[in-house]
Amino acid sequence: MKIRSVTTSRYDDYFNPPEPFITGSQASRCIVELERNGFSVNVPLLNSKCEIARKDEETELNNLRKEYVQHGFPSKSDEDIDAIWSSPKQLIELCHEWLGLEHSPIYKKGQVATWKGEVRLDGVALDYLGNRYKEHRVFLRRIRNLRTTRGCIKYLSKLPTFVGNDGLIHPTYGPMGDDDERSGTHTGRLGMKNPEGHQIPLDIEKDPYGIRECFNTPVGFIKVVRDYQAMEVVILAWLCEKLFGDRSLYSAVELGGKFHTVNSYNVFGTKLGWKHPTGRPISDWTLSEYEKLVKTDDYFSCRRKDAKTVWYGAQYRKSGRGFGYTLLNSDGEPIGERVGQDVLDAFLEEAPALNRWYNFTDEWLSQHLYMPGPSGRIRDLHDLLSNNRVTGKKDWQFRSAARKGGNHPMQELCAAIKMAAIWELINNRDFQHLGGILEVEIHDELHARFPDDPIVAQEGNAVIGECMEVVCKRLGLPAKTDGGTGYTWTEAK
């Protein structure tokens, strides 16, 4: 695929990598294999967890009914009150008209287009409002908790209904969106549908009932789960080296799982000079001491979480203003726009390649109105860029296009690599000889089951890792994988 370059011939390298990818018929074979093999779930455990979650739901509903009355809202029946929490229109009216709360300027995807009259009340927006209006924090938190519980109930109650006569769930794989008939989104990513496995949360805060614990193996088998480590970061580092000769992002790749810990120490401790609630500067601890304390000290743990939030937010072009609302200080208050910008600037100083990537994507989108990915899939963004083409202004539409276009190459190449890895695996003789059966492709993970033998499982784990990494080696991508074994998803991960 030849696409004219913006500035130098290096862009030809970006759009024309070596071919690690597979044909459409091979991709179809991969999908058929996943759907046919299926996976196992522990139905009694799902039902037990669902029963607990429904009791928690009723408790939260009772609490919200009491809060509703205490706030002096218009009189309603319990049934009508319960309906409010699943009605965006009624919830907006309750929060903004009756309580008089200002509209949240942020939500999970970034800045809310308040100038267009847009109103958001997702989890991020509710957290922002709860931090801004302490007197309503408990009330807003209850609404958020109810949503989390109901989201878990959806999976806990639905998964058993998909179990077939053979005791397995045979899902349908296809596009992430129901309005798209291709086997993937703009990026080519697969999505597990019926049931919607890709939406099962990985964060324990979003999955307090441990849904992943219910993914088990049939009798006589053991599970292997292996995933790519920070794959999108690896791809971005690879692109920045090819395009600009900038290797600054490779520190993230080389540090692996320690990256966010080291980054939080360097930024909050060394660059910004933040202090522990005891008054002692973070930089007073050595890095090795800090790495240990991150696991036991709440303040340091929060700083590592903040580092991860900023790192991934920066890749989506989140602003210092946005971080000022979502990052909290030790008192649970938003750090504010000025400090949020200081934090973002410090992180960008640690990884100057990000600014180069921003500039490249802005320049490319301004000229072409679309963003191609390394394996050939194009993200058409002309609807958001038409005004910029006329005025040259980087308005909210341009910023939205820059976020989508700037992230497209990483997601697109990641999707192509994962599909190629599946093809490698199902055709690998060692995998077949060990009795391996590919079960699931989800997030950046591949799940397989093997005959219940620890040695076989360990060998199978190594084979899966080799198949996942060999695709990346053909591109020169320094990708790494990590995996484990167990009888449930939780144990193996």
Side-chain angles (χ1 to χ4, degrees), residues 55 95 101-102 124 231 301 308 318 386 403 415 417 438:
K55 289 179 180 177
C95 290
L101 309 183
E102 294 181 6
V124 172
M231 188 58 168
S301 176
K308 188 173 182 179
K318 190 171 182 177
S386 55
R403 284 193 297 272
I417 287 171
L438 182 64

Side-chain angles (χ1 to χ4, degrees), residues 331-350:
D331 295 323
E333 297 286 342
I335 62 175
E337 294 181 33
R338 182 185 61 79
V339 180
Q341 189 62 53
D342 289 344
V343 170
L344 178 59
D345 290 344
F347 274 91
L348 292 177
E349 188 178 330
E350 283 285 297

Side-chain angles (χ1 to χ4, degrees), residues 161-415:
T161 67
F162 286 94
V163 176
N165 293 333
D166 60 356
L168 301 174
I169 291 178
H170 296 274
T172 300
Y173 278 88
M176 295 294 215
D178 291 325
D179 57 347
D180 189 341
E181 295 181 354
R182 296 171 297 170
S183 60
T185 55
H186 298 284
T187 62
R189 286 183 301 164
L190 283 180
M192 185 201 296
K193 308 169 84 173
N194 297 325
E196 311 97 312
H198 275 78
Q199 297 177 21
I200 293 174
L202 297 178
D203 188 342
I204 192 171
E205 292 182 2
K206 298 177 182 178
D207 179 21
Y209 301 97
I211 297 171
R212 288 185 294 169
E213 184 186 359
C214 301
F215 284 68
N216 62 0
T217 55
V219 175
F221 288 88
I222 189 169
K223 183 184 290 288
V224 172
V225 175
R226 197 162 187 98
D227 71 335
Y228 287 105
Q229 294 184 347
M231 188 58 168
E232 290 185 15
V233 178
V234 174
I235 293 173
L236 181 56
W238 175 77
L239 288 173
C240 288
E241 182 185 28
K242 290 180 73 67
L243 295 173
F244 324 121
D246 189 323
R247 290 183 55 84
S248 61
L249 288 179
Y250 273 101
S251 60
V253 177
E254 291 162 0
L255 286 167
K258 290 184 177 181
F259 172 67
H260 296 302
T261 300
V262 175
N263 222 11
S264 64
Y265 178 82
N266 290 339
V267 170
F268 296 118
T270 306
K271 291 185 179 297
L272 298 177
W274 283 21
K275 295 181 178 181
H276 190 272
T278 60
R280 182 179 175 183
I282 294 174
S283 57
D284 275 7
W285 283 274
T286 65
L287 177 57
S288 59
E289 290 172 336
Y290 181 83
E291 288 175 352
K292 295 176 182 177
L293 288 168
V294 158
K295 301 176 182 178
T296 58
D297 186 283
D298 287 342
Y299 179 80
F300 289 147
S301 176
C302 286
R303 298 295 73 76
R304 185 192 183 281
K305 185 177 180 180
D306 287 346
K308 188 173 182 179
T309 297
V310 175
W311 176 255
Y312 289 111
Q315 289 185 63
Y316 282 89
R317 309 285 285 266
K318 190 171 182 177
S319 67
R321 181 171 183 259
F323 290 124
Y325 291 129
T326 54
L327 299 182
L328 308 179
N329 60 26
S330 55
D331 295 323
E333 297 286 342
I335 62 175
E337 294 181 33
R338 182 185 61 79
V339 180
Q341 189 62 53
D342 289 344
V343 170
L344 178 59
D345 290 344
F347 274 91
L348 292 177
E349 188 178 330
E350 283 285 297
L354 278 177
N355 271 325
R356 292 191 174 97
W357 179 250
Y358 295 163
N359 293 335
F360 163 62
T361 53
D362 285 359
E363 182 185 356
W364 179 275
L365 290 169
S366 294
Q367 292 186 34
H368 302 283
L369 310 186
Y370 67 86
M371 177 57 74
S375 73
R377 285 180 178 265
I378 287 175
R379 182 72 189 268
D380 183 0
L381 295 162
H382 77 276
D383 56 330
L384 290 171
L385 293 166
S386 55
N387 188 54
N388 171 265
R389 194 65 177 264
V390 175
T391 66
K393 294 181 179 179
K394 293 184 177 181
D395 55 10
W396 70 268
Q397 289 180 308
F398 182 89
R399 293 194 296 272
S400 177
R403 284 193 297 272
K404 294 174 181 178
N407 205 49
H408 173 74
M410 283 76 81
Q411 292 190 351
E412 189 258 9
L413 184 55
C414 185

Side-chain angles (χ1 to χ4, degrees), residues 113-133:
T114 52
W115 56 91
K116 295 196 320 179
E118 186 178 46
V119 181
R120 298 282 184 172
L121 280 176
D122 66 0
V124 172
L126 288 172
D127 283 346
Y128 166 78
L129 294 173
N131 290 322
R132 184 172 177 82
Y133 300 96

Side-chain angles (χ1 to χ4, degrees), residues 8-151:
T8 75
S9 60
R10 283 180 177 173
Y11 299 137
D12 291 330
D13 294 333
Y14 160 43
F15 297 125
N16 295 277
E19 287 292 333
F21 310 117
I22 60 178
T23 66
S25 61
Q26 289 170 336
S28 296
R29 162 80 188 283
C30 293
I31 293 171
V32 169
E33 188 82 9
L34 287 165
E35 294 179 346
R36 181 181 61 197
N37 292 342
F39 60 91
S40 175
V41 293
N42 186 331
V43 173
L45 185 59
L46 283 166
N47 291 335
S48 174
K49 288 177 180 288
C50 186
E51 185 177 346
I52 294 170
R54 290 195 186 282
K55 289 179 180 177
D56 290 344
E57 177 190 28
E58 187 56 37
T59 298
E60 209 62 78
L61 285 171
N62 283 327
N63 289 330
L64 283 167
R65 291 168 196 148
K66 293 175 183 177
E67 294 247 8
Y68 183 91
V69 173
Q70 291 170 1
H71 276 86
F73 295 134
S75 179
K76 290 178 179 284
S77 67
D78 286 352
E79 183 178 347
D80 287 340
I81 293 173
D82 293 348
I84 293 172
W85 320 123
S86 55
S87 167
K89 182 178 179 180
Q90 291 188 72
L91 197 55
I92 288 171
E93 180 182 4
L94 191 75
C95 290
H96 300 305
E97 294 184 24
W98 286 96
L99 287 180
L101 309 183
E102 294 181 6
H103 293 173
S104 172
I106 58 169
Y107 74 122
K108 66 179 179 180
K109 292 188 177 180
Q111 186 176 11
V112 178
T114 52
W115 56 91
K116 295 196 320 179
E118 186 178 46
V119 181
R120 298 282 184 172
L121 280 176
D122 66 0
V124 172
L126 288 172
D127 283 346
Y128 166 78
L129 294 173
N131 290 322
R132 184 172 177 82
Y133 300 96
K134 287 186 176 181
E135 66 275 22
H136 300 303
R137 181 178 292 177
V138 173
F139 176 59
L140 296 171
R141 173 56 65 175
R142 290 195 191 284
I143 297 172
R144 201 183 194 295
N145 289 345
L146 179 63
R147 286 180 178 174
T148 299
T149 301
R150 284 178 165 173

